[in-house]
Amino acid sequence: MHNVRNIGLLGCGVVGGGVVSALSQNRDHLLQHCGVSFDIVKIAVRDLERSRVDSVQREWLCDNWRDVCEHPEIDIVIEAMGGVDPAFEAVKTALERGKHVITANKELLATYGRELYAIAQANGVTVLCEASALGGVPVLHALDHYFAANRIQKVTAIANGTSNYILTRMREDRVTFAEALAEAQQAGYAEADPSFDVLGQDARFKLQILCRSAFATEVATDDIECVGIPDVDTQDMEVAESLGCRIRLVATAEDDGEVLHASVRPVLVPAHHPLYAVDGVNNALCVDADIVGQVVYAGPGAGSFATASAIVEDLVRLATTANQPRCVHTRVKPVHPVRYPAYLVVHRRYTSHRVGPYTVPFENTALASVDYVGPTSLGVECWVIQGERAHVEQWTAHLAGLCHGEVRWYPFVEAPKAYPAGLPVQHLDASLRFVAAE
Ligand code: NAP
Ligand code: HSE
């Protein structure tokens, strides 16, 4: 006698449709290898007339989420509607009716995760959400179950497939931002409102979810510094490439014991770093922990089947293991922006005016090292600085007053170990003494 689980779905778009197709395609495999039959009973959608993936049976469809969440025969509800309203009410209702919930909804979990876990615990059921962070890459399961022997110090992630896809297409094929975004939407990677992707909010929601698992810490959305990618252009990408780096939207959180440092920003990733080669819709997570060192996970971060895979993994987990309701974390810490190991300040010159290495009065600051790069063939001059972020920001503002062009700064995810041969670099020490030239 095999195990039969009755499934209800909220939403049958990119993600919900992928789940129906994956369950249909691998039905025999799931039965033979996991001993479970997942039978879809009802699917709530907005528009009953809209066309659906082939394996959807019309009699499953309804246009009221209550028909799923209050259905007496359904024991697991998969939420793939998106947004908070009515998703919060629907998930709450399902949990209160004693149904397990699987959700792909980052915004819902980041905003109301704590409340939903408490409701699940009170009702003896479970909320699983592997698909909500990094799509098909099983990072939440890993963080929740693997690192018990460790104290996690830092998580560094490419957490938004759409932004990574756009930056990759701009860099590799010189397509415009708008064209690359349209491709990401067409492929089903982007959120219903793609500003969530490109302005960094989606990655920020995912960072909140990662912080819950990595540090058992609740972080409020607005406490996380968040800068998106709309200002990144191909000139910045060329400057990064000339330094042997790529620009990626990276979500970082670091626990120093007292304070959680958390930011989402476009950062420079040097060639030796694991995130350097993570292209297209792929996502990745680097976990730095005190006993094991660095562990890296990577794979498809968005799209119909990548996300469906994570949801079906959660289904199998619910059906085959004794699930403990997740404990409700209460730890809250002050949250500050990340202190990056190095910064790139770029003077985009509009004339031949050059600021040069020595004309900036930063001898009173605590900068550990400064490399002046310039002028380069790209018409910019740059400073690679290791030191306090506040000093870098001060210096950038000071530079902006001195020069005739635009000044921008990017953090490095890790300090560059070497520069490409032929780059005009001058190393300066903290008192601006010339150290060596290449
Ligand atoms: P989508 O393609 O827009 O699908 C949303 C589905 O929800 C549609 O079927 C829609 O019905 C239905 N729906 C929306 N509001 C509803 C309501 N009030 N009542 C009933 N049904 C409703 O979105 P998606 O890309 O699948 O994303 C769904 C969720 O998964 C979001 O939280 C998203 O952030 C998350 N997610 C997406 C991806 C991805 O790669 N796309 C990856 C991971 C997580 P109609 O079809 O009738 O309009
Ligand atoms: N819009 C999201 C992304 C979907 O591009 O990463 C996956 O969460």
Side-chain angles (χ1 to χ4, degrees):
M1 186 65 184
H2 61 261
N3 187 349
V4 179
R5 291 305 176 105
N6 287 333
I7 309 300
L9 267 123
L10 302 172
C12 194
V14 173
V15 174
V19 171
V20 179
S21 300
L23 287 176
S24 164
Q25 183 174 316
N26 278 1
R27 188 173 176 81
D28 293 345
H29 170 82
L30 289 165
L31 197 51
Q32 281 164 18
H33 293 266
C34 312
V36 195
S37 168
F38 295 107
D39 293 351
I40 294 171
V41 174
K42 277 242 163 293
I43 305 178
V45 293
R46 267 180 309 215
D47 179 358
L48 291 171
E49 303 307 317
R50 198 174 147 187
S51 72
R52 305 288 165 189
V53 292
D54 286 346
S55 26
V56 170
Q57 297 175 21
R58 299 311 293 190
E59 65 269 22
W60 290 341
L61 296 175
C62 62
D63 59 4
N64 185 343
W65 58 262
R66 289 192 180 278
D67 293 347
V68 173
C69 298
E70 296 175 358
H71 196 294
E73 283 158 30
I74 288 173
D75 41 55
I76 303 174
V77 171
I78 297 169
E79 188 274 305
M81 288 194 287
V84 159
D85 183 22
F88 174 75
E89 193 58 29
V91 168
K92 179 169 174 280
T93 303
L95 295 171
E96 286 169 349
R97 299 276 170 143
K99 301 173 197 313
H100 300 294
V101 171
I102 296 170
T103 178
N105 189 331
K106 297 77 53 117
E107 184 179 6
L108 177 69
L109 282 163
T111 317
Y112 292 111
R114 203 171 173 195
E115 273 138 286
L116 291 173
Y117 287 125
I119 296 167
Q121 195 172 37
N123 288 278
V125 286
T126 305
V127 177
L128 293 181
C129 60
E130 188 61 68
S132 68
L134 281 68
V137 194
V139 291
L140 295 182
H141 188 75
L143 290 171
D144 287 342
H145 298 279
Y146 181 70
F147 291 91
N150 288 265
R151 266 179 303 188
I152 295 176
Q153 295 148 330
K154 182 158 87 161
V155 291
T156 313
I158 294 175
N160 183 262
T162 299
S163 298
N164 205 50
Y165 179 87
I166 292 170
L167 293 175
T168 304
R169 290 282 285 141
M170 287 171 69
R171 188 191 78 243
E172 284 185 347
D173 307 300
R174 293 293 184 257
V175 304
T176 65
F177 181 96
E179 286 164 347
L181 172 57
E183 289 174 5
Q185 288 177 293
Q186 181 64 29
Y189 304 151
E191 296 300 302
D193 175 355
S195 68
F196 277 83
D197 296 291
V198 299
L199 297 181
Q201 285 113 323
D202 180 75
R204 182 160 63 165
F205 291 144
K206 288 166 179 165
L207 190 59
Q208 289 176 266
I209 295 167
L210 291 171
C211 285
R212 216 174 252 145
S213 291
F215 307 117
T217 299
E218 289 290 329
V219 187
T221 309
D222 290 343
D223 286 351
I224 300 179
E225 176 191 42
C226 184
V227 178
I229 61 165
D231 289 340
V232 179
D233 60 17
T234 47
Q235 187 182 22
D236 289 347
M237 290 179 172
E238 284 169 11
V239 171
E241 275 182 307
S242 74
L243 293 163
C245 298
R246 288 179 179 160
I247 300 178
R248 306 220 178 267
L249 183 70
V250 172
T252 308
E254 189 166 10
D255 189 351
D256 73 6
E258 303 296 316
V259 171
L260 193 80
H261 298 267
S263 299
V264 173
R265 294 191 76 102
V267 304
L268 267 72
V269 181
H272 63 266
H273 193 276
L275 299 186
Y276 179 81
V278 179
D279 272 336
V281 72
N282 286 322
N283 282 185
L285 174 74
C286 304
V287 183
D288 288 289
D290 58 352
I291 306 296
V292 69
Q294 188 174 74
V295 180
V296 182
Y297 302 88
S304 186
F305 262 33
T307 314
S309 167
I311 289 176
V312 177
E313 293 293 340
D314 276 351
L315 270 178
V316 171
R317 203 173 130 206
L318 274 177
T320 58
T321 56
N323 288 283
Q324 296 293 326
R326 191 192 181 99
C327 66
V328 182
H329 299 301
T330 51
R331 194 157 64 182
V332 177
K333 283 186 175 177
V335 181
H336 294 176
V338 170
R339 298 163 304 182
Y340 292 95
Y343 300 84
L344 174 73
V345 178
V346 187
H347 171 204
R348 295 156 64 118
R349 298 184 303 147
Y350 298 143
T351 65
S352 60
H353 174 82
R354 180 180 160 200
V355 174
Y358 307 112
T359 49
V360 182
F362 59 106
E363 58 274 15
N364 293 328
T365 68
L367 302 178
S369 94
V370 179
D371 292 342
Y372 174 76
V373 186
T376 75
S377 55
L378 298 167
V380 299
E381 55 183 342
C382 313
W383 294 262
V384 176
I385 302 171
Q386 295 182 41
E388 291 292 322
R389 177 175 167 155
H391 293 135
V392 174
E393 285 170 334
Q394 271 170 18
W395 188 36
T396 304
H398 182 79
L399 258 182
L402 278 182
C403 61
H404 298 293
E406 189 187 342
V407 181
R408 349 174 116 192
W409 66 272
Y410 287 94
F412 284 87
V413 70
E414 209 169 284
K417 288 185 177 155
Y419 297 106
L423 202 68
V425 182
Q426 298 176 58
H427 304 286
L428 311 169
D429 72 10
S431 55
L432 263 193
R433 281 190 309 251
F434 176 80
V435 178
E438 284 178 6

